[in-house]
Amino acid sequence: MQDTTSSTGFPGPDQQDRRTICRFAAGLCGLLAAAVVLGVGELVAALIAPDASPFLATGATVVDHTPQALREFAIEQFGTRDKLVLFLTMGAAMVLLAVAAGLLERRRPYGSVLLAGLAVAVCLAVLRRPNATAAFAVPILLGAVAGIFTLRILIGRAPRRAAPAGGSAAEAAGGNGTDASRRRFLGLAAGAAVLAAGSAAAGRWAGERARAVTADLRRFVVPRPQVPAAPIPPGTDPPVPGLTAFRTPNDTFYRIDTALRVPALTSDDWQLRIHGMVEREIRFTMDDLLRRPAVEKMITLTCVSNEVGGDLVGNATWIGYPLADLLAEAGVRPDADMVLSTSADGFTAGTPVAALTDGRDALLAVGMNGEPLPVEHGYPARMVVPGLYGYVSATKWVVDLEITRFDRAQAYWTRRGWSAFGPIKTASRIDVPAAFGRIAAGPVVVAGVAWAQHRGIAAVEVQVDEGPWEPADLAPEYSLDTWRQWTWRWDAPQGRHTLRVRATDGAGGVQTEERADPVPDGATGWHSRTVTVE
């Protein structure tokens, strides 16, 4: 029988016409090729541009272009696990595309075309990222080249079934269908798997700045504040089982941001540049900061994505440096009204200059609850500004403050339709009893938290079913910038009942009943819980 295998090692036209590659083998070829794309891309990215990792860069691009409604749905449904869900969804999509590439490659190089097209599309999208450079394209393109080469080699050696028409039984049983050829294919497949896994592991090891950052964080000494936070008054944290603690531990503090890979900055790497509409551009290193007197303040932070009754809010003690003092050294020009802060990963937030200079405790924080900032919460430095939602004020891993104007610049979320200013709205939440819980008839403690940062909470009221609003007992107020615990004693009758809560802030504003979604400037409405009294 004439050998029609080409000099490249791939089957010739006659063979491709007369024999069909097993679908399972073709799908496996596609999966291994995609794994090589990601593995090689990870390794190259680690060497030249860690943020250009194909998987993470693609994920970040997806986050950037996700419709607001879908993003809010994800946060509402999955909370702080939204990134895990994104990774799993992306992984599933990549598996499907990889299998499709393998199946398309069975007779013609359409799978290679698919991989090349996806690589180009990802490059074009990733190059539009805020912190992207031309180097971001290199890992994706080199990974795609390696993946296409792997796909072509594996497809050329994949087991084939003889076509039912034409050829003898001996021909049908021979060729790429022999045990020897299967072993060669499995050997190549194993080699591709090792290449993919080894490249990914080497990339992770070579680009693993997190270990250096972890070691740096362990060595970091939180400055002793010249102005310590006021002590927490007795009774501020009522001992009610199930009630949210007044101070939120670092490991349970909510985290919502756009960073799929947490920026890895050591305290030696970090610098803060202040520039733009200023009298003089200045830069601060961490050593510069640590020579300054530090202050300690307790401040409650809230995410604009927090739904009514949600848990994307937390209260912590922050140690840092007044942003007003740092801006004063640069000399903010009178016509400037915005500070555009930039994170190490390119995220931006626009904060009113007035909110940083009007006397409130706006900080460049380096400590949280007496410890260095956790890496996930902005180590080595972040912004903390009471009274504004985090998307316009709480930039983590902050490295740049540009003094500008709202009519000249837009930040990450304002370009996507969110409000430019983001003042926190008066809100309250029922923590106890649990939703749809069953409780015994008689005396019951209803409890929760309320917040209206920089205005404070003056009153909280509870309503049962459609009855009158009853005043709740407020725990002592720590400050206008922290949330406030509340309790209400209820003589609960048997039956199914709905509890509602509303708060009044220190300026006299009553929490509105009108329900509104988080977009564009924060959710509104009364929180309610339905319970069964037995």
Side-chain angles (χ1 to χ4, degrees):
M1 182 178 67
Q2 184 179 4
D3 185 6
T4 57
T5 302
S6 72
S7 61
T8 63
F10 300 127
D14 290 344
Q15 286 181 305
Q16 290 190 349
D17 288 342
R18 296 183 58 180
R19 288 180 293 166
T20 302
I21 299 172
C22 168
R23 287 189 178 88
F24 176 82
L28 178 61
C29 292
L31 286 173
L32 291 172
V36 168
V37 172
L38 295 177
V40 171
E42 190 74 32
L43 176 59
V44 176
L47 299 175
I48 63 174
D51 287 342
S53 159
F55 187 78
L56 294 179
T58 302
T61 303
V62 171
V63 171
D64 287 351
H65 296 88
T66 298
Q68 299 300 338
L70 182 57
R71 178 182 179 275
E72 290 305 314
F73 173 80
I75 292 176
E76 179 182 359
Q77 295 298 315
F78 307 114
T80 56
R81 297 186 298 275
D82 59 339
K83 291 181 177 62
L84 173 61
V85 173
L86 171 64
F87 288 145
L88 292 176
T89 303
M90 287 177 54
M94 288 179 177
V95 167
L96 292 176
L97 288 171
V99 171
L103 294 175
L104 288 171
E105 195 77 6
R106 295 168 72 207
R107 294 183 180 275
R108 295 287 187 272
Y110 296 148
S112 297
V113 173
L114 175 61
L115 290 181
L118 290 172
V120 171
V122 171
C123 276
L124 293 176
V126 166
L127 288 174
R128 298 179 63 185
R129 293 277 300 149
N131 61 334
T133 66
F136 275 46
V138 176
I140 298 167
L141 295 178
L142 290 183
V145 169
I148 291 170
F149 181 78
T150 300
L151 180 60
R152 297 294 295 148
I153 290 292
L154 291 176
I155 286 290
R157 296 298 184 185
R160 285 167 165 75
R161 296 192 305 270
S168 66
E171 288 176 312
N176 285 2
T178 65
D179 290 340
S181 68
R182 290 193 183 94
R183 285 194 296 270
R184 285 195 297 272
F185 172 74
L186 292 176
L188 287 171
V194 170
L195 172 63
S199 298
R204 289 289 183 182
W205 180 83
E208 188 52 77
R209 294 271 302 158
R211 287 179 296 179
V213 173
T214 299
D216 184 68
L217 187 149
R218 289 173 180 162
R219 293 191 299 268
F220 187 84
V221 178
V222 179
R224 178 172 295 181
Q226 187 177 76
V227 181
I232 299 174
T236 301
D237 209 352
V240 177
L243 175 61
T244 300
F246 178 69
R247 179 156 52 189
T248 309
N250 290 358
D251 60 352
T252 59
F253 204 96
Y254 78 92
R255 178 198 166 197
I256 297 291
D257 53 53
T258 64
L260 299 184
R261 184 201 295 271
V262 175
L265 277 177
T266 67
S267 56
D268 289 336
D269 295 332
W270 180 86
Q271 279 193 356
L272 178 68
R273 178 190 180 208
I274 302 179
H275 63 107
M277 298 175 66
V278 295
E279 298 301 327
R280 64 200 69 83
E281 178 177 322
I282 56 176
R283 293 177 184 264
F284 292 99
T285 65
M286 186 58 68
D287 286 340
D288 294 332
L289 285 185
L290 295 177
R291 286 192 288 266
R292 304 171 70 93
V295 300
E296 182 181 44
K297 301 293 179 181
M298 184 169 285
I299 298 169
T300 298
L301 298 185
T302 308
C303 180
V304 72
S305 295
N306 199 39
E307 297 283 350
V308 173
D311 60 358
L312 302 181
V313 55
N315 185 46
T317 302
W318 308 92
I319 294 177
Y321 306 89
L323 282 162
D325 294 350
L326 304 182
L327 296 180
E329 291 191 20
V332 177
R333 294 178 184 170
D335 54 337
D337 63 3
M338 173 190 183
V339 176
L340 185 69
S341 55
T342 302
S343 167
D345 67 345
F347 172 83
T348 55
T351 310
V353 169
L356 305 181
T357 58
D358 63 2
R360 73 182 72 190
D361 295 322
L363 301 179
L364 179 67
V366 298
M368 182 178 181
N369 288 330
E371 301 175 358
L373 287 172
V375 175
E376 295 81 2
H377 290 289
Y379 182 83
R382 66 168 295 166
M383 292 173 61
V384 175
V385 183
L388 300 178
Y389 288 117
Y391 81 103
V392 298
S393 68
T395 303
K396 294 182 278 192
W397 315 288
V398 62
V399 294
D400 189 278
L401 300 179
E402 179 186 358
I403 314 304
T404 181
R405 293 184 55 82
F406 281 100
D407 58 6
R408 298 180 187 175
Q410 282 188 306
Y412 184 93
W413 287 118
T414 51
R415 287 198 303 270
R416 290 160 173 79
W418 292 75
S419 169
F421 300 103
I424 290 175
K425 297 177 178 179
T426 303
S428 56
R429 185 181 75 204
I430 300 171
D431 288 344
V432 180
F436 304 107
R438 294 181 175 272
I439 57 179
V444 172
V445 175
V446 181
V449 292
W451 58 89
Q453 290 93 305
H454 209 54
R455 299 185 305 279
I457 294 295
V460 171
E461 299 169 287
V462 179
Q463 182 189 55
V464 180
D465 301 325
E466 299 301 325
W469 287 97
E470 302 287 348
D473 295 323
L474 293 177
E477 182 178 71
Y478 181 87
S479 79
L480 298 180
D481 293 334
T482 60
W483 58 12
R484 200 166 181 183
Q485 320 296 73
W486 59 266
T487 57
W488 179 66
R489 300 195 176 275
W490 175 35
D491 189 10
Q494 289 184 337
R496 189 177 178 86
H497 302 284
T498 298
L499 304 171
R500 298 181 184 85
V501 63
R502 70 182 183 189
T504 301
D505 62 35
V510 180
Q511 181 180 346
T512 179
E513 178 185 10
E514 182 180 355
R515 298 287 290 205
D517 292 331
V519 181
D521 58 0
T524 62
W526 296 336
H527 186 219
S528 64
R529 281 197 168 171
T530 299
V531 297
T532 299
V533 182
E534 301 174 330

